[in-house]
Short mmCIF file of all heavy atoms in Angstrom, two decimals:
data_model
loop_
_atom_site.label_atom_id
_atom_site.label_comp_id
_atom_site.label_asym_id
_atom_site.label_seq_id
_atom_site.Cartn_x
_atom_site.Cartn_y
_atom_site.Cartn_z
N ILE F 814 29.94 13.44 -8.02
CA ILE F 814 30.48 13.25 -6.68
C ILE F 814 31.69 14.15 -6.43
O ILE F 814 31.89 14.69 -5.33
CB ILE F 814 30.83 11.75 -6.44
CG1 ILE F 814 29.56 10.90 -6.49
CG2 ILE F 814 31.58 11.55 -5.13
CD1 ILE F 814 29.82 9.41 -6.42
N GLY F 815 32.50 14.35 -7.46
CA GLY F 815 33.66 15.23 -7.37
C GLY F 815 33.25 16.67 -7.03
O GLY F 815 33.84 17.33 -6.20
N ILE F 816 32.19 17.15 -7.76
CA ILE F 816 31.68 18.50 -7.45
C ILE F 816 31.23 18.59 -6.02
O ILE F 816 31.51 19.51 -5.31
CB ILE F 816 30.56 18.85 -8.44
CG1 ILE F 816 31.10 19.03 -9.87
CG2 ILE F 816 29.84 20.14 -8.01
CD1 ILE F 816 30.01 19.19 -10.93
N ALA F 817 30.45 17.58 -5.60
CA ALA F 817 29.89 17.59 -4.24
C ALA F 817 30.99 17.61 -3.18
O ALA F 817 30.95 18.44 -2.23
CB ALA F 817 29.00 16.34 -4.05
N MET F 818 31.96 16.74 -3.30
CA MET F 818 32.99 16.63 -2.27
C MET F 818 33.98 17.81 -2.32
O MET F 818 34.38 18.34 -1.28
CB MET F 818 33.77 15.31 -2.43
CG MET F 818 32.95 14.07 -2.20
SD MET F 818 32.29 13.95 -0.52
CE MET F 818 30.59 14.48 -0.75
N ASN F 819 34.37 18.20 -3.51
CA ASN F 819 35.36 19.27 -3.63
C ASN F 819 34.87 20.61 -3.18
O ASN F 819 35.61 21.36 -2.54
CB ASN F 819 35.87 19.34 -5.09
CG ASN F 819 36.71 18.13 -5.49
OD1 ASN F 819 36.73 17.15 -4.76
ND2 ASN F 819 37.38 18.22 -6.62
N THR F 820 33.60 20.92 -3.51
CA THR F 820 33.08 22.21 -3.07
C THR F 820 32.92 22.25 -1.54
O THR F 820 33.22 23.29 -0.93
CB THR F 820 31.72 22.50 -3.73
OG1 THR F 820 30.86 21.38 -3.54
CG2 THR F 820 31.88 22.79 -5.20
N THR F 821 32.48 21.15 -0.95
CA THR F 821 32.40 21.10 0.51
C THR F 821 33.75 21.25 1.14
O THR F 821 33.94 22.05 2.08
CB THR F 821 31.76 19.76 0.97
OG1 THR F 821 30.48 19.63 0.40
CG2 THR F 821 31.65 19.72 2.47
N GLY F 822 34.72 20.51 0.63
CA GLY F 822 36.08 20.57 1.19
C GLY F 822 36.71 21.96 1.05
O GLY F 822 37.28 22.48 2.00
N PHE F 823 36.53 22.55 -0.13
CA PHE F 823 37.10 23.87 -0.36
C PHE F 823 36.45 24.94 0.51
O PHE F 823 37.11 25.83 1.04
CB PHE F 823 36.99 24.22 -1.85
CG PHE F 823 37.82 25.40 -2.28
CD1 PHE F 823 39.13 25.57 -1.84
CD2 PHE F 823 37.31 26.36 -3.16
CE1 PHE F 823 39.89 26.65 -2.23
CE2 PHE F 823 38.08 27.46 -3.55
CZ PHE F 823 39.37 27.59 -3.08
N GLY F 824 35.12 24.84 0.64
CA GLY F 824 34.42 25.77 1.51
C GLY F 824 34.91 25.71 2.92
O GLY F 824 35.13 26.75 3.57
N LEU F 825 35.13 24.50 3.44
CA LEU F 825 35.64 24.36 4.81
C LEU F 825 37.09 24.79 4.92
O LEU F 825 37.50 25.38 5.96
CB LEU F 825 35.48 22.90 5.28
CG LEU F 825 34.04 22.41 5.44
CD1 LEU F 825 34.04 20.90 5.76
CD2 LEU F 825 33.36 23.19 6.55
N MET F 826 37.85 24.56 3.88
CA MET F 826 39.27 25.01 3.90
C MET F 826 39.38 26.50 4.02
O MET F 826 40.32 27.05 4.63
CB MET F 826 39.99 24.54 2.61
CG MET F 826 40.31 23.05 2.56
SD MET F 826 40.78 22.52 0.88
CE MET F 826 42.16 23.60 0.55
N ILE F 827 38.42 27.22 3.44
CA ILE F 827 38.41 28.70 3.55
C ILE F 827 37.79 29.15 4.84
O ILE F 827 38.29 30.06 5.51
CB ILE F 827 37.67 29.28 2.32
CG1 ILE F 827 38.33 28.85 1.02
CG2 ILE F 827 37.61 30.79 2.42
CD1 ILE F 827 39.81 29.13 0.93
N ALA F 828 36.70 28.52 5.22
CA ALA F 828 35.93 29.00 6.38
C ALA F 828 36.66 28.80 7.70
O ALA F 828 36.61 29.70 8.56
CB ALA F 828 34.58 28.27 6.43
N ILE F 829 37.31 27.67 7.90
CA ILE F 829 37.95 27.39 9.18
C ILE F 829 39.05 28.40 9.53
O ILE F 829 39.03 28.97 10.64
CB ILE F 829 38.47 25.95 9.23
CG1 ILE F 829 37.29 24.97 9.22
CG2 ILE F 829 39.34 25.70 10.46
CD1 ILE F 829 37.65 23.53 9.02
N PRO F 830 40.01 28.69 8.63
CA PRO F 830 40.98 29.71 8.97
C PRO F 830 40.39 31.10 9.20
O PRO F 830 40.84 31.83 10.06
CB PRO F 830 41.94 29.71 7.75
CG PRO F 830 41.74 28.41 7.08
CD PRO F 830 40.31 28.04 7.33
N LEU F 831 39.35 31.44 8.42
CA LEU F 831 38.73 32.74 8.59
C LEU F 831 38.03 32.85 9.92
O LEU F 831 38.08 33.88 10.61
CB LEU F 831 37.71 33.00 7.46
CG LEU F 831 38.29 33.36 6.08
CD1 LEU F 831 37.16 33.55 5.07
CD2 LEU F 831 39.12 34.63 6.14
N LEU F 832 37.36 31.76 10.36
CA LEU F 832 36.71 31.79 11.67
C LEU F 832 37.74 31.88 12.80
O LEU F 832 37.53 32.59 13.80
CB LEU F 832 35.84 30.54 11.86
CG LEU F 832 34.54 30.53 11.08
CD1 LEU F 832 33.84 29.20 11.24
CD2 LEU F 832 33.62 31.65 11.52
N ALA F 833 38.87 31.17 12.62
CA ALA F 833 39.96 31.28 13.65
C ALA F 833 40.49 32.72 13.70
O ALA F 833 40.74 33.27 14.78
CB ALA F 833 41.07 30.28 13.31
N ALA F 834 40.69 33.32 12.51
CA ALA F 834 41.17 34.70 12.47
C ALA F 834 40.15 35.65 13.09
O ALA F 834 40.52 36.61 13.76
CB ALA F 834 41.46 35.10 11.02
N HIS F 835 38.87 35.38 12.86
CA HIS F 835 37.82 36.22 13.41
C HIS F 835 37.87 36.20 14.93
O HIS F 835 37.68 37.24 15.59
CB HIS F 835 36.46 35.77 12.92
CG HIS F 835 35.33 36.54 13.51
ND1 HIS F 835 34.52 36.02 14.51
CD2 HIS F 835 34.86 37.80 13.28
CE1 HIS F 835 33.62 36.93 14.87
NE2 HIS F 835 33.79 38.00 14.14
N ILE F 836 38.06 35.02 15.51
CA ILE F 836 38.14 34.91 16.97
C ILE F 836 39.34 35.76 17.50
O ILE F 836 39.17 36.54 18.47
CB ILE F 836 38.33 33.45 17.40
CG1 ILE F 836 37.05 32.69 17.11
CG2 ILE F 836 38.67 33.35 18.91
CD1 ILE F 836 37.19 31.18 17.28
N PHE F 837 40.50 35.66 16.85
CA PHE F 837 41.67 36.40 17.29
C PHE F 837 41.46 37.90 17.15
O PHE F 837 41.72 38.66 18.08
CB PHE F 837 42.88 35.96 16.46
CG PHE F 837 44.14 36.74 16.77
CD1 PHE F 837 44.90 36.47 17.87
CD2 PHE F 837 44.51 37.78 15.92
CE1 PHE F 837 46.04 37.21 18.16
CE2 PHE F 837 45.64 38.54 16.20
CZ PHE F 837 46.42 38.23 17.31
N ILE F 838 40.96 38.31 16.00
CA ILE F 838 40.76 39.75 15.73
C ILE F 838 39.68 40.33 16.63
O ILE F 838 39.79 41.46 17.11
CB ILE F 838 40.52 39.98 14.25
CG1 ILE F 838 41.80 39.68 13.46
CG2 ILE F 838 40.07 41.41 13.99
CD1 ILE F 838 41.62 39.70 11.95
N SER F 839 38.60 39.57 16.85
CA SER F 839 37.54 40.02 17.73
C SER F 839 38.05 40.23 19.16
O SER F 839 37.72 41.22 19.83
CB SER F 839 36.39 39.02 17.75
OG SER F 839 35.74 38.95 16.51
N ASN F 840 38.88 39.30 19.63
CA ASN F 840 39.45 39.43 20.96
C ASN F 840 40.39 40.62 21.05
O ASN F 840 40.43 41.33 22.08
CB ASN F 840 40.21 38.15 21.34
CG ASN F 840 39.27 37.00 21.66
OD1 ASN F 840 38.10 37.21 22.05
ND2 ASN F 840 39.71 35.78 21.56
#
Side-chain angles (χ1 to χ4, degrees):
I814 294 173
I816 292 172
M818 296 297 101
N819 290 12
T820 51
T821 301
F823 193 42
L825 292 175
M826 285 167 58
I827 300 308
I829 292 170
L831 284 178
L832 286 174
H835 177 257
I836 292 170
F837 175 80
I838 291 173
S839 293
N840 286 336

